[in-house]
Amino acid sequence: MELTPLGRHLARLPLDVRLGKMLVFGALLGCLDPIASVVAALSTKSPFAALLGDRQAAAEIARKQLQAKQNDMLTMANAFRGFQKASLEGGDSGERRFCDTLGLSRAALAEQRELRKRLEELLRAAELLPPSYERSSRGPSLRERHQPPVALLGGKSANRHSNQ
C-alpha cells in the first residue's frame, strides 16, 4: 500500500497522526500559530501548575485574562502567546514574572517553544510553509494560503501542474 503525499508528511512528524493533521492543515490554511501552540501544548506537560493557598487564588484571578470563551485549546494558545510576548519584552526575567504571576510552569512553556521550533523546521523542510513565513508573523498572505504547497501536489507546483 502506497502512502498519499499527506500520509508521507504525517509519517515524518514526531506526533500522533491527528495532531500531525492539525499541524499540516494549520499550515495550509494560514493559521499555524495558534494550531502549533495547541499541538505543542497537547504534546507536552501542562503549563498550568497546581498551586496552594493564596497563590492559587491569585493565579486563578490573573489567569482569567488568558481564558478564551470558545474552548480550553485557545486558552492554551493564549498562555503560550503571553509567554512569547513576555519573553520578547523582558527576556528571562519577563518570562519568570509572567509565569509567577499566572502560576504557570516556565519549564513546560519553554518545552512547548522548543517543540514548536522543531515542528516549524520540519514543516519548512517539507515545503509546507511558504518561504515568507516567519515565526513572528501571522503566517502566509491570503494569496499564499490559497496556493497548495508543492509537497502536497506530489512535487508539482500549482502553476506547473496547470501548464501540463
Side-chain angles (χ1 to χ4, degrees):
M1 179 182 226
E2 190 174 323
L3 291 175
T4 64
L6 175 61
R8 282 192 296 274
H9 291 300
L10 293 175
R12 291 185 199 129
L13 294 173
L15 298 168
D16 174 83
V17 172
R18 292 171 291 189
L19 295 178
K21 277 185 182 179
M22 282 176 56
L23 198 65
V24 168
F25 285 116
L28 293 175
L29 298 172
C31 56
L32 181 62
D33 188 61
I35 297 297
S37 295
V38 169
V39 167
L42 291 172
S43 302
T44 59
K45 209 167 91 173
S46 173
F48 295 95
L51 302 170
L52 301 173
D54 293 340
R55 285 205 45 178
Q56 174 71 23
E60 284 178 14
I61 292 168
R63 285 179 186 172
K64 290 207 184 283
Q65 67 182 324
L66 300 175
Q67 288 180 336
K69 293 179 183 175
Q70 296 87 348
N71 65 42
D72 290 343
M73 299 300 137
L74 293 178
T75 298
M76 286 191 278
N78 289 342
F80 185 80
R81 188 177 302 118
F83 178 73
Q84 286 290 83
K85 183 178 179 190
S87 181
L88 288 172
E89 292 174 357
D92 287 346
S93 63
E95 289 178 6
R96 273 192 295 280
R97 206 171 26 258
F98 176 78
C99 291
D100 289 346
T101 301
L102 298 173
L104 299 173
S105 166
R106 183 172 175 229
L109 287 166
E111 183 180 0
Q112 288 177 18
R113 177 175 48 208
E114 291 307 310
L115 178 57
R116 280 178 51 113
K117 284 180 191 174
R118 284 197 317 269
L119 294 172
E120 286 173 10
E121 289 167 4
L122 289 169
L123 291 173
R124 187 171 281 111
E127 299 179 5
L128 292 174
L129 289 179
S132 62
Y133 181 84
E134 293 180 24
R135 201 177 352 269
S136 61
S137 74
R138 293 189 168 268
S141 69
L142 185 60
R143 187 176 133 293
E144 290 170 322
R145 263 187 240 148
H146 295 288
Q147 294 293 323
V150 172
L152 284 183
L153 295 171
K156 298 177 182 178
S157 74
N159 293 336
R160 285 189 306 186
H161 185 67
S162 62
N163 291 337
Q164 290 183 349

